Structure formats: C-alpha cells, structure tokens
Amino acid sequence: MSHPPPAGATAPPPAPARPAAWREAADRLRAAATTEPGRLRIIGAVLAAVLVAFGAVTAWQVTDRAAAADAVVRTSQPLSADAADIYRSLADADTTAASGFLAGGQEPHAVRQRYEKDVALASRLLVKAAANTEGSETSRRQITRLNELLPQYTGLVEAARANNRQGLPLGGAYLRNAGDRMRTELLPAARQLYEAETGRLGSDYADAESWPWAALATGVLALAVLGWAQRRTYRRTHRVFNHGMLAGTAAATVVLLWLVVGHAVARSDLEDSFTHGAQSLQVLNEARIGSLQARGDENLTLVARGSVLTKNGDDAYEAAYGEGMRKLIGGGSSSGEPSPGTLLERARKLADDPAGRDPVDAAIRDVREWQGRHGEARAADDSGLYEKALPKVIGEKGSTGESFDRVDQELSRALAHEQREFDRAADDGRGALSGLAAGAAVLGVLGAAGAVMGIGRRLSEYR
C-alpha cells in the first residue's frame, strides 16, 4: 500500500531525455574524428564502401548491356528477320498466284507448290512471332490482323483458280480482288509488323551500346579516394607504399580498364554488326520485297488487261511496276549503274566485301535485263499480241520471269552472307562483355578487403 510523501518533501527531478539514436551515432563519429585511429577507421569504411559500390554498379550496368546485346542476337534481330520473311512470303504468294493464273486452267505443279509453301511459311512465322513478341502492342495487333486476313485472301485465290479452270472471266475479278486485298491490307499490316520489330532491334542496339557512365564515374571516384588516402598516409608516415591500399588501387584500376576496353570493343563490334549486318539486311529485304511486288504488278497487268486505271487513265498495275522499279534501281542508265539512293545502290554501298557486293552487282545486271524484256512484252501486248506477250512474261526461257527468278536468287544469296556477317560481329560484341560483371563484383570485394587490411595495418601501430 503506497503512502503519500511526507509534508514538505519535493518530487524527484524527471530523468533526462535520451538523445535520438542518430544523434548518438553522430556524437560518437565526431568524437572518433578527433583521434587518428578514429579517422583511420572512418577512412577504411569509406574506402570499402566506395570499392564495393564500384564493383556493384559495374556489375549492374554491364549486366544490363550484356542482356541488351544478347537480345539483339537471340530475340530482336531474329524477330525482325521473321517479320521480313512474313512480308516476303506474302508478296511472293501474291506474285505466284498471278503467275499460276496466267498459265491457264492447269497451272504448273511447281507454281502451285511455291504458292502453298509461301502461305504455309507466312502462317508458321506468324505463330512464332505471336509466341515471341513481348511488350509490343503494335506487333500483337498486326499479327492478329494478318491471321484474320490471310484466310480471306487464300479464299479469293482459290475462287479465282476454280473459275479459271472452267474458263470463266470471273476468275480474273477474283484474282484482282485478292491482289488488291494483299496490297491494301495484308502487306501494310506486314510492313507495320516489320517496322515495329525493326524498331525494337534499334532500341536493343541503343541499350547495348550506351556507355556505363555511372560505373565509370564510380570507378574514377574510387581511384581518387584511394589516391587521397595513400597520399595522406605517406605524409604522416613517410612510407611510400601501403600494401593493402595498393592492392585496392590495383583492383579498381583493373576493373576500370576492363570496363573501358571491354565496352569499347563490344560497342565497336555491335556497330559493325549493325552497319554491315542488320542495316544491310534491312535494305536487302526491302529490295527483295520490292522486286516481288514489281513482279506481281507485271503479272496483274496481263491479268487485268487494262481494266484497272489510274486517275490519269494509265494502266494501274503497269504504273505500279514502274514505280517499284524506280525504287529498286532508278531510271535507265547507259552504264547499267543504279541511280543514287535506290535500294540496290544502297545495298551495294553497305556491302563491305566482294562476297556481299558480287550478288548485288549480279542482281543489278539482272534487273536491267528484266526491264529490257518487260519493254518487249509490253510492246507486244500494246500491239494486241497477247499470245506473244504472255511467254515473254511467264515463259521458261528468255522471259521476265526468268530474270526475276535470278534477281530473287542473287538477293537471297546476299541476304545469307549479310546474316553471317551480322552473327559473327554481334557474337563478338556480346563476347567482349562476358565475365566482366562477375569479375567486377569479385575484384570490388577483394579491393575493399585489401583497403581495409591496409588501414588495419596502420591501426595496429597505435596499439
């Protein structure tokens, strides 16, 4: 039972408030900083923190760039190539369907097989693209649209083929409808898919090639702090070397040099893979697709027989063929050289060795031959000699189809070479970063341990 305090007694004073934990730590730090051992402990902690931070930041930034370089090789470039193949397969299917229609009711078995192979390849690549495309709403939307439109297109082609076998003029209308559907809906969707995947490739290149500025700045800071600490030790002890801090300096220097040289080599190889690989592939794909579309327009010129006109009253398909040829090689030239800025001229400039230039040069010669044969076919058709013009377009020998096939084969050969060039350079760029992230982390920890041991050696002199 408690009793009240006696009369006249005073209450004990309240206990003093306990200072905040951070304030106590600050007071201890200030007290430690007034003595040399305390200062050394602070310096050791700072050195260890900076070296570990340097290793960690380097590992983080190098890992990001290595992942981007890996995405270039394994994901974005293959998807860009697949998107180009989807575009090419659709354009080739349209061209082949028109060639088979021109051949009459019983189209050649090889033509039919080529058409079916193109459609099957486009369908398979669309499934693959849908499974591997991540984060791109544009790509997913275009893949869905292509999957919806492709069966409609093939249905129109089958209707055209069935009517053509029966000799009904309606077959030509179905084929023109299919061709218009391909040009106005499928190919634009395929192009948007290709552009989206190519944009993703460019983004991955930019991420892989960007300099790791945070890691470089942290490395310079680490060397500056180590240099200051060693100079301070020398001024107080007149000892030239502190083995622990010297080991930390060596570790930081190795990491910094490895980072600069490794990233510079990786960047150079990746730039080479883009200029003489990815960029060449893009231009060659454009050229190959352009030649396919020109061939399709050439075939449809004979199918339509002047029934589809431009606003100026010209044959629409012949006008489209001429525009495609101008993009591919330009106007006529007495030297046979392509006009500046055209697709084949750009492809030849991007080729950096004879193995890449030779097939492009051959394609240029074959396109010029194609143009000459096309002129002969048009002259015959414009003179009302359709039966004479037809073999000049779809015949096995001396036809525009023969020239087109050679162009397509040469461009395919150039694409295969540039793909190998891309793979080699991109793999070299990715390989230049291998081991750097793990090495930086380990050397950062070892450097921090060395610096702490060096400070510990100085502290032992005060005991």
Side-chain angles (χ1 to χ4, degrees), residues 271-331:
E271 287 177 348
D272 183 59
S273 77
F274 178 76
T275 303
H276 300 298
Q279 196 171 18
S280 291
L281 288 169
Q282 291 172 21
V283 174
L284 286 168
N285 276 319
E286 290 280 348
R288 196 177 184 195
I289 291 165
S291 69
L292 283 164
Q293 290 179 311
R295 174 61 177 168
D297 289 322
E298 181 179 52
N299 288 337
L300 285 172
T301 302
L302 291 179
V303 173
R305 306 290 299 275
S307 62
V308 181
L309 303 176
T310 65
K311 292 180 180 179
N312 297 326
D314 299 324
D315 188 294
Y317 295 118
E318 177 64 16
Y321 164 85
E323 180 62 25
M325 280 296 179
R326 282 189 289 275
K327 291 179 180 178
L328 191 65
I329 200 170

Side-chain angles (χ1 to χ4, degrees), residues 139-312:
S139 294
R140 289 196 297 270
R141 186 169 60 251
Q142 299 310 322
I143 290 169
T144 300
R145 181 166 174 74
L146 286 166
N147 280 321
E148 293 172 352
L149 291 171
L150 186 55
Q152 299 174 20
Y153 169 81
T154 56
L156 289 169
V157 170
E158 292 307 317
R161 181 176 286 114
N163 281 274
N164 194 36
R165 281 198 297 267
Q166 299 175 53
L168 300 176
L170 190 59
Y174 274 114
L175 190 67
R176 291 195 300 274
N177 193 357
D180 290 342
R181 182 73 61 90
M182 177 65 74
R183 285 162 175 72
T184 60
E185 298 183 57
L186 276 91
L187 290 181
R191 173 167 286 280
Q192 289 186 46
L193 173 63
Y194 174 66
E195 289 174 349
E197 295 302 339
T198 302
R200 177 181 174 183
L201 174 61
S203 177
D204 285 338
Y205 262 114
D207 291 343
E209 293 176 5
S210 62
W211 280 98
W213 294 114
L216 293 171
T218 308
V220 171
L221 175 64
L223 288 176
V225 173
L226 281 163
W228 170 82
Q230 290 173 93
R231 182 172 181 273
R232 181 182 184 277
T233 299
Y234 170 73
R235 292 179 63 184
R236 281 166 171 73
T237 65
H238 297 290
R239 295 171 185 165
V240 177
F241 297 119
N242 177 291
H243 294 123
M245 284 191 281
L246 190 63
T249 303
T253 302
V254 168
V255 173
L256 189 59
L257 289 175
W258 191 359
L259 175 62
V260 172
V261 174
H263 190 273
V265 171
R267 183 184 175 93
S268 175
D269 287 334
L270 287 170
E271 287 177 348
D272 183 59
S273 77
F274 178 76
T275 303
H276 300 298
Q279 196 171 18
S280 291
L281 288 169
Q282 291 172 21
V283 174
L284 286 168
N285 276 319
E286 290 280 348
R288 196 177 184 195
I289 291 165
S291 69
L292 283 164
Q293 290 179 311
R295 174 61 177 168
D297 289 322
E298 181 179 52
N299 288 337
L300 285 172
T301 302
L302 291 179
V303 173
R305 306 290 299 275
S307 62
V308 181
L309 303 176
T310 65
K311 292 180 180 179
N312 297 326

Side-chain angles (χ1 to χ4, degrees), residues 385-408:
L385 302 174
Y386 176 82
E387 296 301 327
K388 184 178 178 181
L390 187 61
K392 291 181 179 294
V393 174
I394 63 171
E396 293 184 4
K397 296 293 183 180
S399 67
T400 60
E402 182 186 29
S403 299
F404 160 74
D405 285 340
R406 285 203 298 265
V407 171
D408 194 61

